[in-house]
Every structure is written in structure tokens, then in C-alpha cells.
Amino acid sequence: SERWNLLYANQLSTAEFKNLAEDTRQYLGHVPKQTQATNTQLLEIVMAQDFQDLTGQVIKKMMDMVHILETELVAFLIEFSPDSKKAELDNNLLNGPVVNPEGRTDVVSSQQQVDDLLESLGF
């Protein structure tokens, strides 16, 4: 670039111009090889991303199917379990934990409190 600037400023001799032209010609001859290598590497990156995206979609579909299967299997087992076993089933255990937030500072009970907690943790 500096040599071309000197040429346009009329500060190069004829011999220097010929050298500049030859160097530029050689450089332009190497450019397609270099761009082909870059193109190949970029294509590999894109293909890897596509593969990862497709794999993620397959895993998500499989996890959704497993979740549905688990839910239906549990419902099936509860529905067709013997009456003696149904009596032993405590329905309160199926609802998850319930925490009384009154008088406690370590329990969040609103979305605003959750947002504040996450913000204080740097999220």
C-alpha cells in the first residue's frame, strides 16, 4: 500500500514500478488459494453449527417424548394400581413444597423478588 501511494505521488522510478507491478501480480495470483482455504474453513464451521442445531432439536424432541411418556406411565400406574396401594398414596406429596413466607427473609413469593434475587447474583 505504501509503495502504491509513492507511485501515485510520482516518487517511484520505472524499475521500482516494474517491481511493484510484479509483486502485486504475484500477490493477486496467491489470493484465490488463500480465499479457497478460508472458504473451506468457514464451510466447516457452518456445517458444524448445522449439525449441532439438528442434534439439539433431536434431543429436545426426545426429551419432550420421554416427559410425555413418563407422565402417561405414572398416570397409568396410579389408575390401575390395586386399591390397597392407592390408599397408601399421599396426594399431598404430589403437590411439591409449600413454604409459608411470613416472617422469613429467605423465601421469595413474587416475580419482583425473584428478579431482585437474580440481579443481586449478577444475572
Side-chain angles (χ1 to χ4, degrees), residues 61-110:
K61 287 180 183 179
M62 289 300 297
M63 291 304 296
D64 290 344
M65 186 176 72
V66 167
H67 179 69
I68 291 169
L69 183 64
E70 177 188 23
T71 304
E72 291 179 2
L73 183 59
V74 168
F76 176 80
L77 290 173
I78 290 173
E79 183 69 29
F80 292 102
S81 63
D83 290 333
S84 62
K85 294 290 182 181
K86 283 184 185 179
E88 294 175 11
L89 183 62
D90 186 2
N91 285 333
N92 291 331
L93 295 177
L94 300 177
N95 295 331
V98 176
V99 178
N100 185 3
E102 293 181 25
R104 296 186 65 177
T105 59
D106 61 341
V107 176
V108 293
S109 60
S110 71

